[in-house]
Amino acid sequence: MKSKEKPVVIITGLPFRKQGNQSLIRFVNMFLNHEFGVTMYSAGRDSKGKYVIGNPYFTFFRIKSLEISFTTFLNSLATKLNGSSTTAGNYFDQIKSEDIVPPYGNYNLMNLVNKWMKLIFRTTDNIILFFYLVLFQARTIRKSCVIVGYEASFTMCSRWLSKVFRKKYINKYQGTILKATNRNLSLALKYFPNNFFSINKSDLCLMVQDGTDGEYYARLKGCDNIFFEPHGVFQYSHERSYDNNIVDELKRQNKFVIFNNASGSTWKRTDRVIRSLLELDKDILENISLVTTYHAQNKNDLVDFVQLKGLEENVIFVEKIDSFESNYIIQKADLVIMTNDFSNLGNPILEAIYYKTPIISIDDGSLEGFVTNNVNSLLIKLDSEFDKNMANAIQKMYKDEAFYDKLKKNMNNKHQVRELSEQQDREFKVINELLKGC
């Protein structure tokens, strides 16, 4: 890496992605755009992603992770077992929309053992990486101005390095799955030890406000200096259409397009939207199209579920949608629906607010302060009537043009949803304040 005045070291278990969360590459580019040099050590892999930024002041090192390899093996094994099972039936026929499924599996002994085995592997990863960096990368660490532990995998190692080399330490999180425990610390320790212990005391904690109670857990673990704000959104005019974009084609067919920007996480719960379609009158359903990016390990079950319910003409699964095209779809769609298990305050909702695309979501409190039910959105209670109420909400959006236009007009919360460049300026200002004199 060429010389820079304030070099930054980032240690993470995440890859750069093309589909889903783009936050890591945006974070790295924030430093590069402010003329910081960045050295990144990453154990992350993503077949849909890329590893290199075309910048002479960015250096990338691939590192190994026992914990990630173990998780990959378990996911592969689960996929094979699910694929070979002929008697278990379809997973989405066995759960209901009102069911909240614990992330990463149910609360049972097998999963408890699994989570603690992963913690042992992760702790081992951190110890091995710490000694490797001390022995073979000490010059890079010594020259750095700050060490950033990005997300959960290597925050232990990052903090140890900051102590040994007397560097500032920043931990950076995109929220926390610990929201699932509702502040039940016993549950957090038993079934989410990786997430609980990865939040550690730092000179600055950058905890994204995504409705997952991140500030509570950061303060609980000793962080006092916390920057707690939502993501910024891209501002694109999209003067040209994307070639063969599915929404453009659906619009030409006069379809009412619903967009569900899910990801590879099973807790995104696209199945809830699909069940609500079954409650629609046939004459309305034939004009409705749901476009979803869901690609979790049980996607095949969801595709089969759609076919079993006769909705293959209404539900379209899309792949290889990067953040730019996702933004385009959000601007073009008639409606954005997010029905996640734990929080719905992610980039899709923020972009929908920014571009005044009407929203339907769950009344779980995660969108409080951003949208209001019946004012600029429709929020549905998660109970036994959810499917029917969600269908009624979709029908109202589709049939009541005056109501739909009112929601769009009232979607004026841009002061709470900032453009990415403005939001990163705010974040960088806090970081730069920490690094004064470095």
Side-chain angles (χ1 to χ4, degrees), residues 14-73:
L14 296 183
F16 291 141
R17 300 186 188 277
K18 287 185 178 179
Q19 184 170 334
N21 196 324
Q22 311 291 316
S23 301
L24 177 58
I25 197 166
R26 297 174 188 175
F27 186 72
V28 171
N29 279 325
M30 177 183 70
F31 285 106
L32 296 173
N33 291 339
H34 286 87
E35 299 187 339
F36 277 50
V38 177
T39 299
M40 190 169 89
Y41 301 89
S42 172
R45 294 180 180 274
D46 186 347
S47 61
K48 300 180 179 68
K50 55 184 177 182
Y51 300 127
V52 179
I53 292 176
N55 187 302
Y57 298 107
F58 174 73
T59 303
F60 180 90
F61 288 94
R62 164 83 42 226
I63 56 178
K64 303 289 186 181
S65 168
L66 294 171
E67 189 260 333
I68 290 176
S69 297
F70 178 65
T71 301
T72 301
F73 168 75

Side-chain angles (χ1 to χ4, degrees), residues 59 113 119 212 255 291 311 313 326 396 425 429 432:
T59 303
V113 172
L119 179 63
T212 57
K255 298 294 186 181
V291 177
L311 293 173
E313 296 296 321
S326 169
K396 188 172 184 63
D425 283 345
K429 183 178 180 181
N432 215 25

Side-chain angles (χ1 to χ4, degrees), residues 384-402:
S384 60
E385 298 294 311
F386 180 84
D387 296 343
K388 181 179 179 180
N389 291 335
M390 172 68 80
N392 290 338
I394 294 172
Q395 181 170 308
K396 188 172 184 63
M397 291 280 202
Y398 173 72
K399 294 184 69 174
D400 192 337
E401 187 175 342

Side-chain angles (χ1 to χ4, degrees), residues 252-284:
R252 284 192 286 269
Q253 300 173 25
N254 293 317
K255 298 294 186 181
F256 185 84
V257 180
I258 301 170
F259 185 43
N260 168 253
N261 189 342
S263 70
S265 299
T266 55
W267 54 273
K268 294 296 184 177
R269 297 301 302 274
T270 302
D271 59 290
R272 289 172 172 150
V273 192
I274 292 170
R275 287 193 196 89
S276 71
L277 298 182
L278 295 169
E279 300 289 331
L280 291 173
D281 294 338
K282 186 172 292 186
D283 62 326
I284 294 176

Side-chain angles (χ1 to χ4, degrees), residues 276-339:
S276 71
L277 298 182
L278 295 169
E279 300 289 331
L280 291 173
D281 294 338
K282 186 172 292 186
D283 62 326
I284 294 176
L285 179 61
E286 65 184 13
N287 295 306
I288 303 291
S289 291
L290 169 65
V291 177
T292 180
T293 61
Y294 188 83
H295 61 277
Q297 66 184 42
N298 57 14
K299 177 187 171 182
N300 288 339
D301 254 8
L302 189 59
V303 172
D304 291 343
F305 181 74
V306 167
Q307 293 175 344
L308 287 169
K309 302 301 181 182
L311 293 173
E312 58 266 32
E313 296 296 321
N314 303 94
V315 181
I316 299 146
F317 292 88
V318 293
E319 296 183 350
K320 301 179 181 178
I321 301 296
D322 61 19
S323 61
F324 302 94
E325 192 165 4
S326 169
N327 182 281
Y328 177 81
I329 295 173
I330 286 172
Q331 291 190 46
K332 293 287 186 177
D334 297 292
L335 182 61
V336 169
I337 297 185
M338 298 300 293
T339 52

